Amino acid sequence: MSTIRKMNKSNSDAPWLALTLDRQLAQPLQAQLCGAIRRLVQEGRLVSGDRLPASRALAAELSISRLTVVTAYDQLVGEGYVIGRRGAGMFVAPDLAGLPRPPARRDGGPPPPTPAPFRPFDTGAADLAGFPHRLWARLLEQAWRDPEPGLLAPPDPLGWSPLRVAIAQHLSDWRGIACAPAQVIVTSGLGESVALVAAALLSPGQSVAVEEPGHGPLRRALAAAGLGVVSQRVDAEGLDPEALGSETRAVVVTPSRHFPLGMTLPLARRLGLLAWAADTGSWVIEDDYDGEYRFRGQPLPAMMSLDEAGRVLYAGSFTKVMFPGLRLGFLVVPPALEASMRQAMQKRGAQAGIVAQPALARFIAEGHFATHLRRMRRLYAGRQRVLLAALAESCAGLLEAEEAPSGMHLVARFAPEFAARMDDVAASGRCVAAGVRARPLSGFFAGEPTAQGLVLGFAGFGEAEIQRAAAAMGAALRA
Amino acid sequence: MSTIRKMNKSNSDAPWLALTLDRQLAQPLQAQLCGAIRRLVQEGRLVSGDRLPASRALAAELSISRLTVVTAYDQLVGEGYVIGRRGAGMFVAPDLAGLPRPPARRDGGPPPPTPAPFRPFDTGAADLAGFPHRLWARLLEQAWRDPEPGLLAPPDPLGWSPLRVAIAQHLSDWRGIACAPAQVIVTSGLGESVALVAAALLSPGQSVAVEEPGHGPLRRALAAAGLGVVSQRVDAEGLDPEALGSETRAVVVTPSRHFPLGMTLPLARRLGLLAWAADTGSWVIEDDYDGEYRFRGQPLPAMMSLDEAGRVLYAGSFTKVMFPGLRLGFLVVPPALEASMRQAMQKRGAQAGIVAQPALARFIAEGHFATHLRRMRRLYAGRQRVLLAALAESCAGLLEAEEAPSGMHLVARFAPEFAARMDDVAASGRCVAAGVRARPLSGFFAGEPTAQGLVLGFAGFGEAEIQRAAAAMGAALRA
């Protein structure tokens, strides 16, 4: 690095003293010099009429070739920062007023904050310590060290082919869905899956029914896709197909386990939904939320496995069972839709990046994913038992919770005497103040809430953490 | 693995002979048994009224516990596949007609095809052999082996913080943009960047001007976001701010290097665009396409660096300078927009996955990215020279091409006598038939094309490959 220490014949030496070039930098010296002079002008340290150092003198001071300085000056003339006066040298241009200045550099500011980690009882938290990080890192390294040519080619908009094969096999093993890899589309998650269905199968303004209470981000994704979102109140069994309006062109449903209430849609209603879709030519988007984490019994087969008419699209995600930033999900479409979906993906452009896809493909195909799911299922079943016991001990008379047969959270209802004292928004506020994130059930309603409770995620927290949080919650709610 | 070899008291032994369970599978035995029986029913190999084997006998045959069989049978009763008759055993349900069957499993089909690799003269192809794959793989492995807690926490919708710091520094070094990391938003590419601007700053139906000819996927992304897309014909200097209609609320422009024509927008027009945006309260989206690959001279500073009014949003992508499946890009917003953009990203949900972000952050921060860019710049300048020489030799009298000062492709215009014989769509078709991908310039127009030519990407192909392809092209066009 060379610094100009003194400079003759320039109106002011001070700014040139600060001018530094760095041969270690990637940027060419000429570009560095241009940038440095531009910055001096922009910062007002050089003003209109200031003379620039003679090219020979500046080159000597900076130990660079004179040609580099001349080229940089020419560039600045072209940009309007500098003018040359025959015989007199180069000057900062007189009309700088017309040359806007950039916003002030804010180097001193702190870098953006890192997001907060999960705290009990955040929903959506998985057991991150239990994830085989070293294995995952090794699979990434192996995939990219000497990448298959297909990984570097223009990507298939439907996703990395071996990942689609692995997902199809996984769905057959775990969810009873018999699908070919050609039916599987890799997406960046439920939002893209929904947007894709909207683009390929629905017209702007058409009505899509969603469960009430339900998944807020899903409603927003549908609305963002230009669709009319119709809330459909669920009863104790879930969504009732009889209640669907005649205008509804599609319905998004969580049959394995309603979100957030947790009940399973009975077979009769599943068949009713399928019949409705077949009769009306509508679509059923099966959001198989938490379908893999069943603690007892066997899940009902996925609705898609019962669909003869080709009206069901099955949406899944790896985000909750791996880690939240993964942003890989998938959509399984009936065979008759393969061509139109490919077309829609080509037109829209895929959003899911390729980097994680080959690692995930091997993670699934080599059985690590199944091993992880089985381990987590045992772990989460145990954590739910711990939470139920801790609630019984610390929140007796306040909250009433039943064992959920699956999933990563449960809903604690208010005991009648407590419900008379406080609503769930107030209760949640008290919990948050005590360091416990307990989301109010009413917040999952788009309209007037008809139920109160706290939604407690137990999957991501150790037993002692769960017990401490339950105790803090009980104290906060009693206070 | 155990296979049933014989089974008494069942109406038909045959289907049970095929029933297999696998202890190596991740799926519990009970679930496997349920699935197998369901499949026998679905495939019609068990029909209504068929008696199921006694639980004890089946358990013995399969070497599993009787409880497993009983639980599986109970499950199937609950699902409606099976009924129990007191004292008589379990039977396939009589009302199977109401129980739809799944689409046939298509195990035999081939896996989806791997996409074709780049061929000369595909645009968008980078030199993939020159990318430091081992280093990239090592950075991925290092980031995920023992991941920082922030990588596993709920992700910041604006992107991984160290990547945003690295991008801000890179833009300062290479593009003269002084921005804080808080102004940088990581996206999955230009499509998401545009959709984000639309969601945060524009209303559905508002008009956005795009260059004509221009980038087709950009037009589609704008249209998908519900905006009215207005084509603005460029002249020899690029987009003319004087020509913008009064309804235009935003304009997307490629000032560093027009896509696909390659000219640089002069300073006067940049200032004109900025004045237009400031006066009308409109937005300029600066698509800094290929801004880093300048072979001679110094690029004009990015428009954002000249913007005093805070009307420029700068969009960049790593896809073309690394590999096409990466799907990581970024948007730099004026400081005044930071809060509304954060809100919009939180509402929409980020699409870019976290997996590649820490590796890319280190790739940039440790200088590998700059080294890669410099190497590629030299390599691509050389490849362009080779292509120009090969065109002069093989396509003399047909195509006329000038050296582009930057970028990864050039536009070859038709010599007058050749233009009289053939249009560029026909010429492109001949090239494709000869194994050469030469896109017709007219295909970059949304309206009536006013120019003919072939767009030839040179970045991703070796010298011999370029020469062979140019020779094949010349022969095909002369034939």
Side-chain angles (χ1 to χ4, degrees), chain A residues 44-209:
Chain A
R45 298 170 67 188
L46 288 177
V47 297
S48 294
D50 277 358
R51 180 151 61 183
L52 271 60
S55 57
R56 194 180 307 272
L58 186 56
E61 277 296 325
L62 293 171
S63 306
I64 58 180
S65 97
R66 193 179 155 218
L67 182 64
T68 302
V69 179
V70 170
T71 318
Y73 281 7
D74 281 348
Q75 172 73 28
L76 291 167
V77 169
E79 293 177 17
Y81 282 97
V82 165
I83 55 163
R85 292 198 200 125
R86 187 172 293 271
M90 310 298 277
F91 295 81
V92 177
D95 54 349
L96 279 181
L99 202 65
R101 288 177 191 168
R105 175 74 182 264
R106 299 192 294 163
D107 267 334
T114 297
F118 286 115
R119 277 206 321 227
F121 296 106
D122 274 340
T123 54
D127 183 71
L128 300 169
F131 186 77
H133 293 291
R134 277 175 185 272
L135 167 67
W136 175 248
R138 198 166 63 236
L139 292 176
L140 280 168
E141 201 271 339
Q142 285 168 357
W144 288 100
R145 184 201 304 156
D146 186 16
E148 292 180 46
L151 285 173
L152 302 173
D156 187 331
L158 302 187
W160 176 233
S161 165
L163 176 57
R164 298 165 66 202
V165 172
I167 290 172
Q169 185 58 48
H170 174 78
L171 290 174
S172 166
D173 294 345
W174 282 73
R175 303 296 294 119
I177 295 176
C179 65
Q183 291 171 256
V184 178
I185 302 169
V186 178
T187 70
S188 62
L190 185 63
E192 190 187 0
S193 295
V194 159
L196 175 63
V197 174
L201 304 179
L202 300 168
S203 309
Q206 285 191 330
S207 287
V208 178

Side-chain angles (χ1 to χ4, degrees), chain B residues 21 84 97 121 137 206 235 256-257 269 312 321 330-331 334 352 362 386 393 405 412 414 423 452 466:
Chain B
L21 303 182
F121 294 109
Q206 285 190 329
D235 61 22
S256 299
R257 168 168 164 72
R269 289 206 169 174
V312 175
V321 290
F330 57 90
L331 185 71
R362 289 190 57 184
V386 170
E393 192 185 310
F414 285 11
D423 70 10
Q452 298 263 312
I466 290 173

Side-chain angles (χ1 to χ4, degrees), chain A residues 27 79 100 106 173 267 338, chain B residues 27 79 173 267 306 338:
Chain A
Q27 202 185 24
E79 293 177 17
R106 299 192 294 163
D173 294 345
L267 185 63
E338 281 171 27
Chain B
Q27 202 186 25
E79 293 177 17
D173 293 346
L267 185 63
L306 301 173
E338 281 171 27

Side-chain angles (χ1 to χ4, degrees), chain B residues 76-431:
Chain B
L76 291 167
V77 169
E79 293 177 17
Y81 283 97
V82 165
I83 56 164
R85 290 196 200 127
R86 186 173 292 272
M90 311 298 276
F91 295 80
V92 177
D95 54 350
L96 281 179
L99 202 68
R101 290 175 191 170
R105 176 74 182 262
R106 298 194 296 165
D107 267 334
T114 297
F118 286 114
R119 278 208 317 228
F121 294 109
D122 274 339
T123 54
D127 183 71
L128 299 170
F131 186 78
H133 294 291
R134 278 176 184 271
L135 168 67
W136 174 247
R138 199 165 63 237
L139 293 175
L140 280 168
E141 201 271 340
Q142 285 168 358
W144 288 100
R145 184 201 305 156
D146 186 16
E148 291 180 48
L151 285 173
L152 301 173
D156 187 332
L158 302 186
W160 177 234
S161 167
L163 177 57
R164 298 165 65 202
V165 172
I167 290 171
Q169 186 57 49
H170 174 78
L171 290 174
S172 166
D173 293 346
W174 282 73
R175 302 296 294 118
I177 295 177
C179 65
Q183 292 171 254
V184 178
I185 301 169
V186 178
T187 70
S188 62
L190 185 62
E192 190 186 0
S193 295
V194 158
L196 174 63
V197 174
L201 304 178
L202 300 168
S203 309
Q206 285 190 329
S207 287
V208 177
V210 299
E211 295 162 320
E212 167 87 336
H215 193 46
L218 166 74
R219 303 177 65 92
R220 288 194 289 269
L222 290 165
L227 299 167
V229 183
V230 178
S231 294
Q232 203 72 48
R233 252 172 227 287
V234 300
D235 61 22
E237 290 195 312
L239 187 83
D240 183 355
E242 303 287 332
L244 288 173
S246 59
E247 292 302 299
T248 301
R249 305 312 309 140
V251 59
V252 190
V253 62
T254 51
S256 299
R257 168 168 164 72
H258 177 267
F259 182 83
L261 296 175
M263 61 276 194
T264 301
L265 196 68
L267 185 63
R269 289 206 169 174
R270 294 172 186 232
L271 297 176
L273 264 180
L274 292 172
W276 164 81
D279 291 349
T280 59
S282 306
W283 304 100
V284 175
I285 302 170
E286 178 173 21
D287 176 9
D288 200 17
Y289 163 74
D290 272 355
E292 267 118 358
Y293 286 135
R294 185 121 196 137
F295 306 134
R296 49 187 169 75
Q298 160 93 351
L300 285 170
M303 283 187 66
M304 189 175 211
S305 74
L306 301 173
D307 174 31
E308 275 195 318
R311 310 307 301 181
V312 175
L313 298 97
Y314 178 97
S317 165
F318 296 100
T319 291
K320 288 193 74 178
V321 290
M322 291 181 67
F323 45 89
L326 183 63
R327 293 272 182 273
L328 284 179
F330 57 90
L331 185 71
V332 186
V333 305
L337 296 184
E338 281 171 27
S340 54
M341 284 293 173
R342 170 171 287 278
Q343 216 167 18
M345 278 303 271
Q346 261 155 350
K347 202 172 148 194
R348 289 169 50 79
Q351 279 150 359
I354 195 82
V355 170
Q357 294 190 39
L360 181 57
R362 289 190 57 184
F363 191 68
I364 298 171
E366 292 176 4
H368 308 299
F369 186 55
T371 303
H372 177 62
L373 288 178
R374 277 182 297 155
R375 283 192 53 222
M376 291 301 109
R377 188 156 56 182
R378 284 194 300 273
L379 185 72
Y380 295 167
R383 287 180 175 179
Q384 184 180 220
R385 283 193 298 271
V386 170
L387 174 57
L388 287 167
L391 289 176
E393 192 185 310
S394 302
C395 302
L398 302 171
L399 302 178
E400 296 170 348
E402 276 181 25
E403 189 186 350
S406 64
M408 299 164 74
H409 71 257
L410 54 73
V411 178
R413 309 283 190 153
F414 285 11
E417 58 273 32
F418 182 58
R421 284 208 290 127
M422 204 181 291
D423 70 10
D424 60 4
V425 173
S428 173
R430 287 200 183 192
C431 291

